[in-house]
Amino acid sequence: MSAIKGRKLSIENATLIGQGYNADVYLFDDENVVKVLKHSSFEDADREIQLSKWALKQGIPTAISYDVIDVDGRPGLVYESLGRGNLRNILRDTPERFDEVLSRYNELLHTVNSIVVEPGQLPDAIDAYSAYLEKAKCAMTGEEYERMKTLLGTVPKCYNLVHGDFHVKNVKVMRNELLLIDLDTLKRGDAIFELAALCRPLAGVDELQPGDIMLLPGVHVWLFLRWLEPDHRHMVIVESGGVPEWKCAYKSVDTQHFLDEGYRPYRYLRIRE
């Protein structure tokens, strides 16, 4: 029996503005949105509110959360309305702003990942993903399970803040300020866990296609462009430069040497040819 009870709230006249696996989001009025959870408890809703308040204190721009609600027996939360603008919509509607939007997106991600989390404040990402792996074990071959377990074992222990679902729909734009939402996934760990919601590892470099990445966990990432030879001995890669020019740097590298340094191939989810 839940110890937390939300106040009853009807969303009969609210407008559905977003749907996801974990929640539906409604515009309740001009100033408030309602997030109705699908697979969570009232305790989970209260935890999300506490996480949002904690994040604000850490300097993360996010929506102000108010209270836990009960929508026909389903737990929910009330947030201040941030409008319907998000980075995905901006990229779709104004593609000429791509460089500007990507730069600001990276700055926000860097701000989040630069925050050091004290032990015990948030779940450890390695522990959380180890638990996810155990739940998924029945759907894997023994080889796949051991490979994933080995990959998790290579991730360094870190105490930096990780959002865990840092895609462009979760970055709202209000009065030209970027605000991060859906903070129920906050954890502490290496920034590589941000990639879990954005990319998947490839079985090997031979699967690389233009637009894939070569990642050295927690250190650096290169964008793969093409192979120099049919036998894949050398690849052409590119990285973004630093401020203020942000000029790209191109180079060809020896594939085996790159792998020996610890780089591994990944592909962004939902990437299209």
Side-chain angles (χ1 to χ4, degrees):
M1 194 74 176
S2 175
I4 297 176
K5 298 292 184 182
R7 64 181 176 90
K8 301 285 186 180
L9 187 69
S10 171
I11 57 172
E12 182 179 356
N13 297 317
T15 303
L16 180 66
I17 58 173
Q19 288 181 295
Y21 176 78
N22 293 315
D24 294 329
V25 180
Y26 297 83
L27 181 63
F28 188 75
D29 54 35
D30 291 340
E31 298 181 350
N32 300 284
V33 296
V34 171
K35 181 178 180 180
V36 183
L37 306 182
K38 294 181 178 180
H39 314 291
S40 304
S41 65
F42 286 96
E43 284 80 7
D44 293 327
D46 182 66
R47 177 178 175 273
E48 184 171 339
I49 286 181
Q50 300 310 316
L51 283 173
S52 296
K53 292 178 178 179
W54 178 85
L56 280 170
K57 291 180 181 178
Q58 307 307 310
I60 300 174
T62 188
I64 297 174
S65 54
Y66 299 123
D67 57 350
V68 177
I69 56 172
D70 182 329
V71 181
D72 295 328
R74 294 170 60 191
L77 311 89
V78 179
Y79 282 97
E80 66 170 326
S81 175
L82 300 179
R84 301 191 184 188
N86 58 46
L87 288 191
R88 185 193 69 165
N89 294 343
I90 291 176
L91 289 170
R92 179 194 63 201
D93 299 337
T94 56
E96 68 276 7
R97 296 181 60 190
F98 179 85
D99 289 344
E100 171 210 341
V101 170
L102 185 61
S103 177
R104 296 187 64 188
Y105 173 87
N106 288 337
E107 288 174 4
L108 180 58
L109 180 58
H110 179 72
T111 296
V112 171
N113 294 155
S114 296
I115 294 173
V116 177
V117 181
E118 295 296 326
Q121 284 187 314
L122 292 176
D124 184 87
I126 294 177
D127 293 341
Y129 276 86
S130 295
Y132 299 157
L133 178 61
E134 292 305 316
K135 289 182 179 180
K137 184 177 180 180
C138 61
M140 299 179 175
T141 65
E143 182 180 354
E144 290 170 335
Y145 170 78
E146 291 300 328
R147 179 167 175 258
M148 294 302 297
K149 192 173 181 178
T150 299
L151 283 173
L152 270 175
T154 64
V155 179
K157 193 79 170 178
C158 295
Y159 290 91
N160 296 86
L161 181 60
V162 175
H163 180 273
D165 200 16
F166 206 93
H167 57 75
V168 288
K169 288 176 64 177
N170 274 342
V171 181
K172 304 284 285 185
V173 184
M174 186 177 184
R175 292 188 288 273
N176 203 36
E177 181 183 9
L178 302 190
L179 299 103
L180 188 59
I181 62 171
D182 285 358
L183 304 185
D184 55 306
T185 54
L186 291 183
K187 295 176 180 63
R188 72 171 191 270
D190 191 276
I192 190 175
F193 286 106
E194 299 291 12
L195 294 175
L198 303 176
C199 4
R200 64 177 178 86
L202 299 178
V205 291
D206 289 335
E207 292 186 8
L208 282 167
Q209 296 182 26
D212 291 336
I213 60 174
M214 291 294 291
L215 174 73
L216 183 59
V219 180
H220 197 55
V221 63
W222 289 85
L223 186 71
F224 173 81
L225 292 184
R226 61 185 175 85
W227 296 107
L228 276 182
E229 307 99 354
D231 60 4
H232 298 176
R233 287 185 297 113
H234 295 86
M235 64 175 74
V236 178
I237 53 178
V238 62
E239 67 170 349
S240 65
V243 292
E245 293 89 1
W246 292 104
K247 292 182 178 179
C248 292
Y250 296 82
K251 71 175 184 177
S252 60
V253 295
D254 181 277
T255 302
Q256 189 57 54
H257 177 69
F258 222 35
L259 292 173
D260 291 343
E261 287 186 341
Y263 281 89
R264 294 295 180 265
Y266 285 79
R267 175 165 300 150
Y268 287 110
L269 300 177
R270 301 178 186 176
I271 194 169
R272 294 180 295 180
E273 295 184 0

